[in-house]
Structure formats: C-alpha cells, structure tokens
Amino acid sequence: QFGEMAAMTHGVGGFQAIELNLSCPNVDDGALFGHDAQLAAAATAAVRANTELPLLVKLAPNVPDVTFIAKAVVSAGADALTISNTLPAMTIDVEKRKPVLGGVTGGLSGPGLRAVALALVYRVVQAVDAPVIGVGGIFTANDALEYILAGATAVQIGSANLADLWAPFNILEELRVYLEQRAITDINQLIGAAQAKAQVT
C-alpha cells in the first residue's frame, strides 16, 4: 500500500519529495513498520520502486537501537532520514478520571521530545551516510542549532507552528543573527561540529 500511494504521485505536479512515516503513535492497530528493520526496509523499497522523487523516511524514537532501522532503510533506498517521530504518551483528567485523548494515548511532541530526538540524530549520523533531518521540539534558533551541531543537515518545525505561525520565520531570522554575530558565512560549517569535538576530546 505504501508503494501504491507513492505511485499516485506520478504525473502530478507540486511534489518536491515524499516523506514515508514509518511510525504513528496515534494509530492503535496496524504493523509497527518503524520498529522492525525488515518491515521498515520493505516499506521503503516499495516506495522507492514507485517514485523517482527524493525519499525521506521518518523513524520512530522508541526502538531498542535506531541505527539498525536507519541502516536498513538507507540500504532499501531512502535518500534521507527524518528523526524523529513523536513518543507514545498520555494525560489524564483527574476530575473526570479518564484519559484526555479520545484514543487514550497520542504522540508526545514539543520540547519534551527534543532531548530524545537530538540523541537519536547524534547516533544515526555516526551510523549512516545519508542526510538527517532533525525534528522535535524546535521553537528557537538555539533548538535548531543543537540538531545541526549534532549532525542534522536540515530541521523541521512542527509543534511551534501550532503556537505561532510565524515561528519558522522567526527561527530563521534568529539563525541569521547568530551567524552574523559570529562571522559565520555558511551554516554548513556547523553541521556535525559537536560530533567532531566529541571525537577529539
């Protein structure tokens, strides 16, 4: 079915890339593609066979070793990895004495996810030769820079958009100011800089 959906983009304008979401904590049933290297690779290969567009594969954070999954999907044709999806979580209304969400659990995103996703990005960058897009709790330029320093070549802004539709533009401007103040002419100079320091010390 992943392959069939990818095929639907043939001849349709407006698509720049396809992001294959292999984990969704808001769904109760279905195969846990993002938790099994073989299933993840099979889903990736099915999409790769049905599109020439760049293929980004979004990975789950709650797996024993994300690097196994990362290696499997890159081998199956992923052009880049998006790390990471949300964590399964819940909250309870103490007055009503029941879960707040209709589906009981949902995905934890925002600042609570950032430290987890950042650690995953750091590890995956060491394990695979593919661009990594960092995502999870990016609300400021500092948040974005943490991912970039960990090795991410790009970042996604998600939850911050719900709080402020101007968030991506504000973060971009903050990044410009940060670079100017430090006389950095190319942000690419910062990609993985924390990795290099970690290896030296």
Side-chain angles (χ1 to χ4, degrees), residues 56-57 74 78-83 124-125 128-134 151-154:
L56 322 176
V57 178
V74 169
D79 294 304
L81 304 174
T82 303
I83 301 175
V124 169
V125 165
V128 299
D129 184 20
V132 172
I133 301 167
T153 56

Side-chain angles (χ1 to χ4, degrees), residues 64-185:
D65 189 343
V66 70
T67 62
F68 286 127
I69 313 293
K71 290 175 183 177
V73 299
V74 169
S75 294
D79 294 304
L81 304 174
T82 303
I83 301 175
S84 75
N85 208 323
T86 56
L87 282 165
M90 71 180 296
T91 184
I92 294 175
D93 186 320
V94 296
E95 295 300 327
K96 296 180 180 179
R97 300 179 183 177
K98 66 177 188 177
V100 170
L101 299 177
V104 181
T105 62
L108 173 68
S109 59
L113 178 65
R114 186 170 61 250
V116 174
L118 185 63
L120 296 175
V121 167
Y122 190 90
R123 290 189 63 213
V124 169
V125 165
Q126 296 174 345
V128 299
D129 184 20
V132 172
I133 301 167
V135 57
I138 299 174
F139 280 71
T140 67
N142 189 76
D143 299 336
L145 284 165
E146 283 195 83
Y147 280 101
I148 292 167
L149 291 168
T153 56
V155 297
Q156 285 184 6
I157 311 299
S159 296
N161 289 312
L162 302 177
D164 180 6
L165 291 176
W166 287 97
F169 305 101
N170 293 335
I171 292 170
L172 184 60
E173 183 56 31
E174 290 172 16
L175 284 171
R176 287 195 182 106
V177 171
Y178 177 92
L179 296 175
E180 287 175 3
Q181 290 177 340
R182 290 156 181 80
I184 299 171
T185 58

Side-chain angles (χ1 to χ4, degrees), residues 182-199:
R182 290 156 181 80
I184 299 171
T185 58
D186 186 353
I187 196 168
N188 288 314
Q189 297 172 16
L190 299 179
I191 295 174
Q195 293 274 356
K197 289 181 180 178
Q199 293 165 8

